[in-house]
Amino acid sequence: MGNKLYGTVLLKAKRIMDVLFMSEDDLSLDEISSKAHIPKPTTFKILNTLDYIDFVRKNNDDKKYSLGTQMIGYGNKAMDSFNIVSIAEPYLEDLGKVTNETVNLGIEENSKIVLLKKIDSPQTVNLNSKVGGTLELYSSSMGKAILATKSDEELDRYFSKVELKPLTENTITSISELKGQLKQVRKDGYAVDHQENQDEVVCVGTAIKKYGKVFGAISVSTPKYRLDDLLFDDLKKLIISTRDQIIKVI
């Protein structure tokens, strides 16, 4: 580390909060001290301060600690100012250079995918998509990748309000068939649009999820005539690798 940091107690406080963040249950003073590798007296003093400013909450009944309500406001503010485009853009540009195919970034909004970023392929391709435009969740690789992150209850709510209209002859319009495909997406970590959104275009996509939140999805699109088994395998590996790189810096 280059410059000496000021206030080592802040680093210890962060270690304590990280322990609470990673725990599914409230923790005792002894448990926090042990997991954070900080002496018990020091842990107690830091917890008292964090409790005073509502960064942690102490349950007076069992004397255990959890993250405080103040963190909700900070978390919401951080989410509001989070710009997935600026975070993901350099990795998407690298993906575009490696594949020479069209790369996309989208988010879910009003039960559709809104395209936030599109890096066009230098090769010939005719895609009916533009930044600011929308795609259906059920027919696009980005959409199916996001659908695969949802619970059964969330999926049922989605299917209850969205009609699965055929956009091409390959569009899946059966809820049971699509649910079966989503199970496979969860296993594979990526989704494929086999000419389901646009004729002669195949897309491979994956969702960007961290901290239990879906920040969006990315995909690579290519004309069917360029897609062979080797390219298909490469796209699946590269889309996962790119997603993992983005997740690391979120």
Side-chain angles (χ1 to χ4, degrees):
M1 188 174 296
N3 298 325
K4 185 177 180 180
L5 298 179
Y6 177 76
T8 56
V9 68
L10 293 177
L11 300 178
K12 292 177 180 177
K14 181 183 183 303
R15 277 159 57 189
I16 289 172
M17 295 181 69
D18 286 345
V19 166
L20 291 171
F21 176 73
M22 296 301 295
S23 176
E24 295 183 1
D25 303 312
D26 293 358
L27 299 175
S28 67
L29 172 61
D30 287 341
E31 290 171 324
I32 296 171
S33 174
S34 175
K35 291 177 182 291
H37 304 291
I38 299 173
K40 186 175 175 179
T42 304
T43 300
F44 180 70
K45 292 177 182 178
I46 294 174
L47 281 170
N48 276 347
T49 303
L50 293 174
D51 182 30
Y52 177 76
I53 60 176
D54 292 327
F55 277 23
V56 304
R57 178 173 56 86
K58 182 180 181 181
N59 187 323
N60 291 323
D61 293 331
D62 59 12
K63 309 301 181 185
K64 291 189 175 183
Y65 297 84
S66 61
L67 288 181
T69 55
Q70 182 68 39
M71 302 311 299
I72 298 174
Y74 284 126
N76 288 337
K77 178 64 176 179
M79 290 298 183
D80 290 341
S81 62
F82 184 85
N83 188 337
I84 188 62
V85 176
S86 62
I87 293 291
E89 189 168 21
Y91 302 99
L92 300 182
E93 289 177 349
D94 288 344
L95 181 59
K97 292 175 182 177
V98 171
T99 62
N100 279 325
E101 301 295 348
T102 298
V103 176
N104 313 284
L105 168 68
I107 59 169
E108 179 186 3
E109 190 172 281
N110 298 323
S111 298
K112 291 181 183 290
I113 288 289
V114 177
L115 191 61
L116 297 183
K117 182 71 178 181
K118 180 181 178 184
I119 300 175
D120 290 314
S121 168
Q123 307 181 79
T124 302
V125 59
N126 181 26
L127 295 178
N128 297 330
S129 62
K130 60 181 180 179
V131 173
T134 61
L135 303 169
E136 295 292 347
L137 294 177
Y138 65 86
S139 63
S140 62
S141 66
M142 287 191 291
K144 287 192 286 185
I146 287 180
L147 285 177
T149 68
K150 298 182 181 296
S151 66
D152 290 340
E153 292 76 15
E154 289 172 325
L155 285 176
D156 288 340
R157 285 198 295 271
Y158 168 76
F159 289 126
S160 70
K161 63 183 180 181
V162 175
E163 181 182 356
L164 306 187
K165 299 179 180 179
L167 304 179
T168 72
E169 63 179 17
N170 296 299
T171 305
I172 298 175
T173 56
S174 163
I175 293 177
S176 60
E177 184 179 351
L178 188 55
K179 281 186 174 182
Q181 189 177 99
L182 294 179
K183 289 182 180 179
Q184 189 62 46
V185 173
R186 294 186 188 105
K187 293 179 181 178
D188 296 336
Y190 62 85
V192 182
D193 152 20
H194 289 285
Q195 305 180 76
E196 298 159 50
N197 195 70
Q198 181 180 341
D199 287 324
E200 300 301 319
V201 175
V202 177
C203 300
V204 181
T206 187
I208 302 170
K209 183 177 180 180
K210 190 173 185 180
Y211 306 129
K213 176 180 174 60
V214 177
F215 292 91
I218 59 175
S219 70
V220 180
S221 304
T222 183
K224 182 178 180 297
Y225 72 82
R226 273 207 299 266
L227 188 68
D228 55 22
D229 290 341
L230 181 60
L231 177 58
F232 193 36
D233 287 341
D234 284 345
L235 293 184
K236 290 185 286 189
K237 293 175 184 176
L238 289 167
I239 198 76
I240 293 294
S241 174
T242 301
R243 177 204 66 192
D244 291 345
Q245 292 178 72
I246 295 170
I247 287 175
K248 284 182 180 178
V249 296
I250 288 178

